[in-house]
Amino acid sequence: MQVEVLTDEDGLKGAWFAATIIEPSGEDKYLIEYKTLRNDDDTEFLREVIRACNIRPCPPEIIVVDGFKVWDAVDAYYNEGLWVGVIAKVLINSNYEVNFIEYDEKTTFNQADLRPHQDWLNGKWVVP
């Protein structure tokens, strides 16, 4: 099953990573394999046991036709994961300045590396 996983690892807190559930691993835990994170010697994708509360299904795709606007909540693909941010500035050529409020950092992204942010609440996807 394809999912997204929230990690508590230092430097990656708050980011969601694409993964595959390999098998159950105890009560409310699953062995997963990341799709983008690799082991220390870079020989295979990282596997890890994750609590069920840190796993969610992949959200449905929302097609963005007219681009994003300032203050739109987005997920930005950055450092192999998806980070929640807010559009701070609309630039030219489908580029955007995204503010990661939790980290007090702004970074420029192309629209191809952004998606509308959605929250997984009570078993449903909700657009804030």
Side-chain angles (χ1 to χ4, degrees):
M1 179 177 187
Q2 306 303 310
V3 295
E4 292 182 345
V5 175
L6 182 66
T7 182
D8 292 333
E9 190 172 320
D10 286 339
L12 300 176
K13 287 184 181 176
W16 290 90
F17 294 87
T20 302
I21 292 178
I22 305 299
E23 63 188 15
S25 181
E27 188 173 324
D28 292 325
K29 293 182 181 179
Y30 295 89
L31 175 65
I32 60 98
E33 181 176 272
Y34 291 99
K35 292 184 162 224
T36 55
L37 299 179
R38 303 199 44 98
N39 64 5
D40 289 337
D41 55 357
D42 200 27
T43 56
E44 57 189 27
F45 288 105
L46 182 64
R47 287 186 172 200
E48 184 172 40
V49 174
I50 298 288
R51 296 181 330 193
C53 64
N54 289 345
I55 299 173
R56 67 183 186 186
C58 296
E61 184 177 0
I62 297 176
I63 305 295
V64 178
V65 177
D66 295 325
F68 294 102
K69 299 173 191 67
V70 171
W71 297 115
D72 281 352
V74 294
D75 294 333
Y77 186 72
Y78 183 64
N79 286 341
E80 308 297 334
L82 291 159
W83 301 76
V84 179
V86 175
I87 300 293
K89 187 185 284 185
V90 177
L91 307 171
I92 60 171
N93 298 325
S94 298
N95 290 309
Y96 300 88
E97 186 176 272
V98 175
N99 186 10
F100 300 108
I101 297 168
E102 186 173 334
Y103 295 96
D104 193 30
E105 180 180 325
K106 290 182 183 174
T107 306
T108 300
F109 292 92
N110 184 271
Q111 184 170 328
D113 293 322
L114 300 173
R115 70 180 188 194
H117 178 70
Q118 300 176 66
D119 290 314
W120 180 246
L121 299 172
N122 301 319
K124 295 180 186 175
W125 285 106
V126 178
V127 178

